[in-house]
Amino acid sequence: MGAKPTVTFPSGSPATKSSYEVIQPGTGAAVKAGDKLILNLTVYNWDGKGNAVQGSSYDTKAPETIAVNEQLPQVLQEGFTKVKHGGRLLAVLANDSVAQQPTATAPAEPTKVFVLDIVGAQPPALKAATGKETGDSIKGVKVVSPGGEKAPTLTTKTGEKPSKELVVKTLITGTGAKVQANQTLTVHYTGKVWGTDKQFDSSWERGQPAEFPLGNVIQGWQKGLAGVPVGSRVVMSIPPDLGYGDQAQENIPAKSTLVFVVDILAAY
């Protein structure tokens, strides 16, 4: 444990059925559904030829964080419940773990072998931005922060012309690690159209933070939130070319400048 593992493969064809094996059970806290585990992981392509290593966080010195939820393959969901912190899990992920069946245009992926060492867990997401208020703002946009876990009020009704560039202002500076472009974020946010004060979305009103990979959202969010410390509250003015452009969305006219106030609650 604590070092890159060596994996020896049997001869013959790779496994076609997914499975797992507990190599070391661990002596720390038990793993629960919903945990965000910090892992050292090593991945191999089991192709029956070179069985090459695909990567290891022991080489990059950058442990990965994985959420134990229903988006994981079943074999990992089950396997993680059989190890504790400090444990090591071996998992074989064959094509039976993939939702889509292979086709002529998308052939079967090689069977993969994961060695997963559980080194810790991320603390739960914050409830709201916490830190020092900067007094910064965007001209024409007003944000009132009531404090505590209450949602800020965003006002975007203005005669000011929006910038053609992305504008990001930090309202509260968090003390967490800076957001990386490849991470999944947990955020609270409200979105309005510049100039009209028309709200088109709010996680605060739904009463549930949003969670998504940063790489899956509009360019304005990707560019605006990367590098911002967790725990921060930011306000962003996003021009159409970094938002939805000429495509109208539900409640968002085409060519709209979007304004968001966002609390970054967690990143993993």
Side-chain angles (χ1 to χ4, degrees), residues 101-178:
Q101 294 304 310
T103 64
T105 52
E109 285 278 317
T111 295
K112 294 198 183 300
V113 172
F114 289 78
V115 183
L116 305 130
D117 295 349
I118 303 171
V119 295
Q122 265 228 335
L126 299 168
K127 300 289 187 189
T130 53
K132 188 177 178 185
E133 290 205 33
T134 65
D136 221 347
S137 64
I138 296 175
K139 192 175 182 185
V141 173
K142 186 177 178 187
V143 180
V144 177
S145 297
E149 294 173 17
K150 293 179 180 171
T153 306
L154 173 65
T155 306
T156 61
K157 189 166 182 59
T158 176
E160 295 283 344
K161 287 270 188 268
S163 171
K164 291 186 168 64
E165 307 294 326
L166 173 69
V167 182
V168 183
K169 298 290 186 182
T170 300
L171 307 177
I172 295 174
T173 306
T175 57
K178 290 182 178 179

Side-chain angles (χ1 to χ4, degrees), residues 135-262:
D136 221 347
S137 64
I138 296 175
K139 192 175 182 185
V141 173
K142 186 177 178 187
V143 180
V144 177
S145 297
E149 294 173 17
K150 293 179 180 171
T153 306
L154 173 65
T155 306
T156 61
K157 189 166 182 59
T158 176
E160 295 283 344
K161 287 270 188 268
S163 171
K164 291 186 168 64
E165 307 294 326
L166 173 69
V167 182
V168 183
K169 298 290 186 182
T170 300
L171 307 177
I172 295 174
T173 306
T175 57
K178 290 182 178 179
V179 169
Q180 305 295 315
N182 62 350
Q183 288 184 307
T184 293
L185 303 190
T186 304
V187 301
H188 259 318
Y189 68 92
T190 294
K192 289 189 172 184
V193 175
W194 181 285
T196 68
D197 209 38
K198 183 178 180 183
Q199 181 174 302
F200 53 83
D201 198 6
S202 174
S203 64
W204 273 293
E205 286 195 0
R206 290 194 295 275
Q208 185 74 32
E211 190 168 292
F212 48 78
L214 186 56
N216 286 5
V217 291
I218 59 174
Q219 285 285 314
W221 277 62
Q222 294 182 41
K223 293 174 184 288
L225 297 185
V228 177
V230 172
S232 298
R233 173 171 293 164
V234 300
V235 61
M236 299 189 288
S237 167
I238 300 176
D241 63 323
L242 296 177
Y244 297 112
D246 295 338
Q247 299 297 314
Q249 306 288 315
E250 187 180 358
N251 299 323
I252 304 175
K255 297 185 170 64
S256 289
T257 294
L258 310 177
V259 183
F260 290 93
V261 58
V262 183

Side-chain angles (χ1 to χ4, degrees), residues 4-16 19 42-55 90-94 110-115:
K4 185 178 174 181
T6 302
V7 177
T8 306
F9 291 82
S11 58
S13 299
T16 56
S19 62
T42 307
V43 189
Y44 294 81
N45 266 355
W46 186 1
D47 58 9
K49 300 167 192 165
N51 303 322
V53 64
Q54 294 300 291
L90 172 75
V92 175
L93 265 67
T111 295
K112 294 198 183 300
V113 172
F114 289 78
V115 183

Side-chain angles (χ1 to χ4, degrees), residues 13-32:
S13 299
T16 56
K17 192 172 186 326
S18 298
S19 62
Y20 69 86
E21 184 180 338
V22 175
I23 306 297
Q24 294 268 8
T27 56
V31 175
K32 308 183 302 298

